[in-house]
Amino acid sequence: NVHPQALVYPLTVASKSVSIQRHKAAKDILNEMKKQCLVLVQQAELVSHELIRVSIVWHEMWQEALEDASRMYFNENNLDAMIERLHEIHQQTSGKPETIREISFKQNFGRLI
């Protein structure tokens, strides 16, 4: 409670993990922190989202998601996790493109996804 800012960003990053346990644990802690530090958590989530958005282009995000989904299906035999991972990446990239690379991605692959 003394320095919540020291934990907020690492927890925000962990909340985006493909590991279901890590994702859930981080989200649970962040939800509890929101009760006392709502603005701090919201700001950290915004910074995290924007850093990811500008640092990882959509084709890289899709490549990683497809690799994760393939591993989940073929190695872990987990169809539900595979579908959830693909749904997650689809949601992340289904909005209006904001950069030249996002526009290009939508033009090349929009119909396929």
Side-chain angles (χ1 to χ4, degrees):
N1 213 11
V2 178
H3 300 287
Q5 65 274 16
L7 293 174
V8 174
Y9 186 72
L11 285 168
T12 303
V13 172
S15 73
K16 297 180 184 334
S17 174
V18 295
S19 164
I20 295 169
Q21 279 184 307
R22 182 175 294 153
H23 169 81
K24 183 178 178 343
K27 281 293 195 184
D28 289 347
I29 294 169
L30 285 170
N31 286 334
E32 287 299 314
M33 290 181 77
K34 282 180 182 179
K35 293 176 183 175
Q36 294 180 8
C37 310
L38 178 62
V39 173
L40 178 66
V41 173
Q42 288 174 332
Q43 289 174 343
E45 289 173 337
L46 176 63
V47 168
S48 174
H49 172 76
E50 289 302 313
L51 285 173
I52 290 170
R53 190 181 67 76
V54 299
S55 66
I56 303 174
V57 294
W58 283 2
H59 75 273
E60 290 172 345
M61 291 171 62
W62 268 96
Q63 180 178 349
E64 181 180 337
L66 290 170
E67 288 172 1
D68 289 344
S70 176
R71 176 185 46 77
M72 290 169 178
Y73 182 75
F74 291 109
N75 294 355
E76 299 170 13
N77 211 15
N78 191 341
L79 179 63
D80 292 335
M82 179 200 77
I83 290 171
E84 176 61 30
R85 181 67 175 114
L86 293 175
H87 178 72
E88 175 186 289
I89 189 64
H90 186 266
Q91 292 294 82
Q92 289 176 342
T93 57
S94 65
K96 182 180 178 186
E98 297 178 16
T99 66
I100 299 294
R101 286 186 176 181
E102 291 174 359
I103 291 168
S104 174
F105 181 88
K106 281 280 190 171
Q107 290 172 343
N108 287 318
F109 304 109
R111 288 192 333 250
L112 299 172
I113 56 172

